[in-house]
Structure formats: C-alpha cells, structure tokens
Amino acid sequence: MLRLPIHHIGIASADIHKELSIFKSLGFIKEDEFIDKMQGVKGIFVIPSDRSLPQYRFELLENLHEEGPLTNYLKNKTKMYHIAYKSEDIQKDMQSLLDSGGGGGNMLITPITSASYFKKICFVMLKNRLLVELVEEK
C-alpha cells in the first residue's frame, strides 16, 4: 500500500494561460512555473489563494510541441492527466507501485529520470488506467 502525500494533480491543457485564467476564477493563484524540455511540457502550479482553506495544488500542463505527451489526453478530452505523490525514496515507492494491485498489472511508463522542476520523477500506469507520478523534490 502506497502511503505518500499527494504533491499535485496534473491537468492536461492546450493553453496553460487560458487554463490559468479559469483556475484564477475558481480562487487559485500561481505558485510556480517551469519548462521541461526533456518531458516536452511546460507547466504552472496553482494553489488556493485563501490560505485558510486546505492547501493542495494542480499542475496545469501544455505540450511544448504540437505532438507531445499530452496529445492523446487532449484528443480524448481528458483533463485530469495524473496524480503525483511526493516520495522520499522513489526507487522503493516505484517498486511498491509495480508490485501492488492484486496480482500485478501495473506498468512502468517512464523510468526514474531527472526533471527540470523535480530532482527525480517516474510514471506508473495502474491497471485501472490511472497514471501515477512519483516525484522527489530538489
């Protein structure tokens, strides 16, 4: 069983600045932004502007190029792209995800790699087709 805090929920978008204006109308503010050429995306993290509310974040993502990792999600009109968990030991947590799920079926999509915003990341597709990202902060 994975027992990690959620870092963010990834949102696929064609234009992160248009998406940001919608999230601002819902009470979010920009926390940070990044460009990750290795992953082929740029992103903006948003958090609730009201600090008295529980603090959580969304990651608004856009492809850097016409065809990128979000293309299929956008074609299928799927907004929620992934759930990311904060890991202190990404190798151990990745293996735990791969071994879980009642007889397997979970599949490594992206092996552990460095990223522009995080120290390390990896993606695991669960057998129910939910994409999980593990992130180790810098």
Side-chain angles (χ1 to χ4, degrees):
M1 175 186 347
L2 194 65
R3 296 180 49 91
L4 300 173
I6 292 176
H7 185 273
H8 65 266
I9 295 174
I11 304 293
S13 63
D15 182 325
I16 56 176
H17 295 289
K18 286 181 183 176
E19 199 77 37
L20 177 61
S21 68
I22 293 168
F23 273 79
K24 282 182 175 179
S25 73
L26 295 171
F28 289 85
I29 58 172
K30 182 168 76 171
E31 179 186 40
D32 209 350
E33 63 185 294
F34 64 92
I35 294 175
D36 192 327
K37 291 180 181 177
M38 285 187 357
Q39 301 298 318
V41 295
K42 58 183 172 178
I44 297 174
F45 286 106
V46 295
I47 57 174
S49 59
D50 184 344
R51 300 291 184 182
S52 69
L53 295 173
Q55 291 300 295
Y56 49 90
R57 72 179 54 80
F58 288 98
E59 179 186 40
L60 312 178
L61 292 165
E62 174 184 328
N63 284 329
L64 283 177
H65 309 288
E66 192 171 319
E67 291 293 317
L70 305 172
T71 301
N72 286 336
Y73 288 89
L74 295 170
K75 283 180 182 175
N76 291 323
K77 299 183 182 345
T78 302
K79 295 298 286 178
M80 195 186 113
Y81 174 44
H82 65 267
I83 299 176
Y85 290 89
K86 183 178 165 184
S87 173
E88 300 293 326
D89 184 344
I90 198 166
Q91 180 68 43
K92 178 180 131 262
D93 293 329
M94 178 193 70
Q95 197 58 53
S96 176
L97 269 179
L98 291 173
D99 293 342
S100 69
N106 297 339
M107 182 172 54
L108 184 63
I109 299 297
T110 305
I112 297 170
T113 186
S114 60
S116 65
Y117 192 83
F118 296 104
K119 180 179 175 184
K120 296 177 187 173
I121 65 169
C122 73
F123 285 91
V124 174
M125 181 70 73
L126 303 184
K127 66 182 179 181
N128 70 350
R129 306 294 295 155
L130 178 63
L131 187 60
V132 172
E133 179 184 24
L134 296 174
V135 301
E136 259 187 37
E137 294 183 309
K138 290 183 178 178

